[in-house]
Amino acid sequence: MTNLPPPAEELRLLDAELRQLDARRAVLLRRRAWLIHTLRTTAPRPAQGTGTPSGGWPTGPDAGAVTHRPEATAPGVQNVLLVLGGVLLTVAAIAFTLVSWGHLGIAGRALVLGALTVAALGAPVTLLRRGLRSTAEAVAGLGTALTVLDAYALHEVAFTGTGGVGYTAAASAVLAALWAAYGVRFGLFHPLPLAVATAHLPLLLWAVAVGAGPHTLTAVLLATAAGAAAVALRAAPVPVRVVAVVGALGTGAVGVLSAGWLCWSASGPGSAARAAALLAVAATVALVAGRFVAYREVAVGAAATAGLCLVAGAGGVLRVSVPGEWTVPGCLACAIALLAAERTPLPRPLRQGLVRASAAVQGFAVLWAVPLIAGSVLGPAARAATPWSGAPRSVRDAVFTDVPPPPYASTVPLVLAVVAGTLVMAGRRTRRPAVMVVALVLGWAAVLVLPVALPLPYTAGLVAQAAAVAAALGFAVRADRADKGPTPLALTALLLALVTSVDLALLSLASETATLGVLVTLTVLFGAAGLRPRFAPFTAPAALGHATALACAIGASAGFAPHHTALLVLAVPAVAVLIASRTGGSSATVPVEAAGGAAALLALALAVPDPPTLALVLSLCGVVAAASALRPERRAAGWASAALFLLAAWVRLAAWDVGTPEAYTLPVTGPALVAGFLRRRRDAAVSSWTAYGAGLAATLVPSLLAAWDDQHWLRPLLLGAAALAVTLVGARQRLQAPLVLGAGVLALVTLHELAPYLTQVVGALPRWAPPALAGLVLLVLGATYEQRLRDARRLREALGRLR
């Protein structure tokens, strides 16, 4: 069977198809005009004296068939002319009425306007019989304009003492009725939309004329909107429905806003109840309109508007009837009551709209609670500036130290809990994980702000937040066991536990005892949760972080200096290496090592003011890194261990005020040369520069720089002897790096030692001797240039054969 759409929907489809056909016809006409223009411009010109070109294209009378397409259609020209003529006649009639009215007597005035109006309204009858509809519409438009002038003239002649607003209300009602009857009787196009637009004015103007109060004016606006909605639902012509819909939306929006303002600004329950009744009327109109409208989206929007109006009315009455902190919970209760629409026989779009209105109100209630949530989460951070300044009386005093708490905070936990419970029920029904995640977050927020909202004593608040951390971790473990894998719900609970633990640790800074107890508790909780492999990447680093804070707190409580506290903090990297060795390369290994590295950096920062302790801390960090390097996948940590040991030695030497550079460089050279020797034993292809270059340069170069400015003879002697030994070893073993480095350093040391004597010799020679000597050398080199190049090449090849 064929499912025919409703008449309104079928009319909309036909209009869409006709628009597509018109658009396609316009495209084809433009293409046809272009083709004609192309053929006319490319056609060859005919020979002189003939009527047909060589190509056979006609140029005689038949060629007139190829013409340019008119830029304006005949109906378009007709409409422009008719509209322009009607406008000019209307302007002339207005000018006559306003300017030339006094030059005629009463009979003349009535005769002129009456004759014009009757002629303008009667002419379309004859024109319609002849099929001239456009002309009839233009003349009828002039007639409707003349009826307005007739109403104005009638007021100026017969009703001069009548108030302008009241007369306008009556005239607009009469004109709307006349125009509607006229349009229906003769089937004209424009009178009906004009009558509907004018029908919005009588009631409102009448209320203004009688001096009605704001409640009456609001009721008039809503009544007008209801009438316009009825016309929009029942009228068949599209222009009439468009005008009615626009009028209904405009007057309805103004009426609803006015009723809401009256309801929420009322000073007593009576006035608030009257405004709430107006909002209930608006809700009824919206529901009825949504019930009969053909479009689903419009029905959903109308039902949502109705739900918001009902909640706003109830909230306005509650505002003046109950204490201020219960206004939002009351509105929330009304919003929850709207969810009962799901169990009613209302159409599905209306039920969806009411549910959306309830969701919107619940969202506004959560936004109302955001200031207290943000203060509860961020407020304890202010305690870090003044730790252990004394336990406050309540949790609220500990959280809001510098700023006042938000007003009406006592009912915030209730609001959050109710919204969370509603979302839990919705999540179980819809099976959407995102809904359950939001419900979990809101439930956590309710528990977090509960100690602040009540307010609980300081110690009780700490215990409550610690219980919240334990509950969040337990919930995450339970969800993980139930789903046999990490789920969004479990991960969210774990993240909330981490956030709460940080907040709790900051909150405990007000008291020394509280700080130690809270940090021990958090370390144990997250350490126990880290036993589950899926949670270890999050909980194990958190446990190490809290343990680091605990070590610092213990040092401060014991009165240790910061560099002594660093030794306590080093226990955390050691434990991190032990845990990482037990995880066996799982996903928790890197986070655990990162947490241990952060604790090691903190220990180094604490030890910086005391160099001896810093050297000890660096050595212990090197031990920890060496222990990590025992694992095959962390062999690279051995380089970090060696660097830490070297830095420890340097810091210790600096603490002893040792200024000799060899004391700093020889600890590098010795291990480097041993490592190079062992590497060359395993791989003979390794270059001597790779094996020994860095180690030799680490001592020879700094010592050479020191010897260059040394005025004593011991360092140059020892450096020269060492360079000679290195050179001889390089020559004996045929190694390039020791030979080049040793020979270069030996030559520079020798030059440095002989420099005074060379200076004396140069000073004793005549001034012409150095240039003469240089010239002689150049002549000798020039004479034996080829032989010198050959010798240089042989020297380079000899060095290149060395390893």
Side-chain angles (χ1 to χ4, degrees):
M1 297 180 65
T2 303
N3 186 15
L4 296 177
E9 182 66 17
E10 185 176 3
L11 179 61
R12 186 183 66 82
L13 295 175
L14 290 177
D15 291 340
E17 292 292 337
L18 290 174
R19 285 194 298 271
Q20 293 180 359
L21 290 175
D22 291 340
R24 182 60 180 168
R25 183 176 184 275
V27 171
L28 294 176
L29 288 175
R30 287 196 298 270
R31 181 65 179 175
R32 179 179 180 277
W34 181 82
L35 291 173
I36 293 173
H37 176 71
T38 302
L39 292 174
R40 288 175 60 88
T41 55
T42 57
R45 295 184 178 181
Q48 190 171 6
T50 62
T52 304
S54 58
W57 189 262
T59 58
D62 294 338
V66 183
T67 59
H68 291 287
R69 182 174 177 269
E71 296 182 358
T73 61
V77 174
Q78 172 187 329
N79 292 334
V80 170
L81 294 177
L82 291 175
V83 171
L84 181 60
V87 169
L88 292 177
L89 288 175
T90 303
V91 171
I94 294 173
F96 170 77
T97 304
L98 297 178
V99 178
S100 302
W101 183 256
H103 299 291
L104 299 176
I106 296 177
R109 298 170 187 176
L111 182 62
V112 171
L113 270 183
L116 289 175
T117 304
V118 171
L121 294 178
V125 178
T126 304
L127 295 174
L128 288 174
R129 290 176 181 174
R130 297 178 177 271
L132 302 176
R133 174 168 289 277
S134 299
T135 307
E137 290 284 351
V139 177
L142 174 62
T144 54
L146 289 174
T147 55
V148 177
L149 296 178
D150 289 336
Y152 169 74
L154 186 61
H155 176 266
E156 292 297 323
V157 173
F159 300 99
T160 307
T162 306
V165 179
Y167 180 79
T168 304
S172 59
V174 173
L175 289 177
L178 290 177
W179 291 342
Y182 182 68
V184 172
R185 173 64 181 82
F186 297 106
L188 294 173
F189 179 80
H190 79 279
L192 284 179
L194 190 60
V196 172
T198 308
H200 288 78
L201 300 177
L203 282 178
L204 182 61
L205 293 176
W206 169 81
V208 174
V210 298
H215 288 82
T216 304
L217 288 175
T218 303
V220 167
L221 286 172
L222 294 177
T224 304
V231 173
L233 293 173
R234 301 295 296 176
V238 175
V240 175
R241 283 185 300 176
V242 170
V243 172
V245 168
V246 172
L249 292 177
T251 55
V254 176
V256 168
L257 292 177
S258 176
W261 180 81
L262 291 173
C263 187
W264 281 83
S265 62
S267 58
S271 58
R274 284 190 295 165
L278 293 176
L279 288 173
V281 171
T284 303
V285 173
L287 283 176
V288 172
R291 172 66 179 83
F292 294 102
V293 76
Y295 299 98
R296 178 182 176 278
E297 294 79 6
V298 178
V300 172
T305 303
L308 293 176
C309 290
L310 292 174
V311 174
V317 175
L318 289 173
R319 189 187 66 83
V320 295
S321 303
V322 299
E325 60 267 18
W326 291 100
T327 301
V328 174
C331 294
L332 181 61
C334 296
I336 300 300
L338 289 179
L339 296 177
E342 284 285 347
R343 303 181 182 274
T344 61
L346 289 174
R348 181 175 177 80
L350 298 185
R351 287 184 279 128
Q352 290 180 345
L354 292 175
V355 170
R356 290 185 183 182
S358 176
V361 175
Q362 294 179 55
F364 282 118
V366 172
L367 291 178
W368 172 75
V370 164
L372 185 61
I373 299 173
S376 301
V377 173
L378 303 178
R383 287 287 171 184
T386 57
W388 297 355
S389 58
R393 184 177 59 181
S394 65
V395 180
R396 182 180 297 181
D397 296 334
V399 172
F400 296 97
T401 55
D402 300 327
V403 295
Y408 308 134
S410 59
T411 55
V412 169
L414 176 63
V415 169
L416 294 173
V418 169
V419 177
T422 305
L423 289 176
V424 168
M425 296 177 61
R428 289 179 177 178
R429 186 175 66 255
T430 59
R431 303 292 182 182
R432 293 181 180 179
V435 177
M436 299 300 292
V437 168
V438 176
L440 178 60
V441 173
L442 292 179
W444 164 81
V447 174
L448 182 67
V449 303
L450 182 62
V452 181
L454 289 181
L456 292 180
Y458 177 69
T459 304
L462 294 180
V463 173
Q465 286 207 3
V469 175
L473 290 175
F475 182 85
V477 172
R478 181 180 177 183
D480 181 65
R481 288 176 179 174
D483 297 321
K484 301 191 183 301
T487 61
L489 202 61
L491 294 178
T492 302
L494 186 59
L495 179 61
L496 295 177
L498 293 173
V499 173
T500 310
S501 67
V502 175
D503 189 69
L504 177 59
L506 292 173
L507 190 63
S508 67
L509 291 177
S511 172
E512 177 180 349
T513 305
T515 301
L516 295 175
V518 165
L519 290 177
V520 169
T521 303
L522 293 177
T523 303
V524 173
L525 283 176
F526 282 97
L531 297 177
R532 293 193 64 82
R534 294 190 182 95
F535 292 159
F538 304 96
T539 55
L544 293 174
H546 291 303
T548 303
L550 178 61
C552 295
I554 292 174
S557 178
F560 293 163
H563 56 274
H564 292 153
T565 304
L567 299 176
L568 294 176
V569 176
L570 282 178
V572 177
V575 174
V577 171
L578 179 61
I579 295 175
S581 64
R582 299 295 297 273
T583 54
S586 65
S587 58
T589 303
V590 174
V592 168
E593 291 176 341
L601 291 177
L602 177 61
L604 292 174
L606 292 174
V608 165
D610 188 66
T613 308
L614 178 60
L616 178 59
V617 172
L618 286 169
S619 300
L620 295 176
C621 290
V623 173
V624 173
S628 179
L630 295 177
R631 291 154 43 207
E633 68 275 10
R634 291 292 183 265
R635 296 298 187 195
W639 296 99
S641 176
L644 289 171
F645 282 127
L646 180 61
L647 288 175
W650 285 356
V651 171
R652 171 53 64 181
L653 291 172
W656 285 338
D657 295 330
V658 175
T660 304
E662 289 78 11
Y664 296 89
T665 57
L666 286 177
V668 179
T669 297
L673 293 179
V674 172
F677 176 75
L678 296 177
R679 184 175 181 184
R680 280 183 59 83
R681 287 188 61 181
R682 292 194 304 268
D683 187 4
V686 176
S687 171
S688 62
W689 288 102
T690 303
Y692 306 118
L696 292 174
T699 294
L700 292 177
V701 174
S703 298
L704 178 61
L705 296 176
W708 201 262
D709 293 332
D710 198 347
Q711 302 300 325
H712 303 283
W713 58 271
L714 182 58
R715 177 179 278 114
L717 177 61
L718 295 177
L719 180 59
L724 178 60
V726 170
T727 303
L728 293 178
V729 171
R732 177 70 179 81
Q733 299 295 328
R734 301 180 62 82
L735 298 176
Q736 188 180 96
L739 181 60
V740 172
L741 290 175
V745 172
L746 181 59
L748 292 175
V749 170
T750 303
L751 178 62
H752 175 266
E753 293 302 312
L754 295 178
Y757 303 102
L758 294 177
T759 303
Q760 294 178 4
V761 172
V762 171
L765 291 176
R767 293 190 176 183
W768 54 265
L773 182 60
L776 181 60
V777 172
L778 291 177
L779 287 176
V780 173
L781 290 177
T784 58
Y785 180 73
E786 185 177 358
Q787 183 63 32
R788 300 288 79 79
L789 288 178
R790 189 180 299 111
D791 294 341
R793 191 179 301 111
R794 290 175 181 174
L795 177 61
R796 184 181 61 188
E797 292 174 355
L799 288 175
R801 287 193 294 270
L802 299 179
R803 290 172 293 174

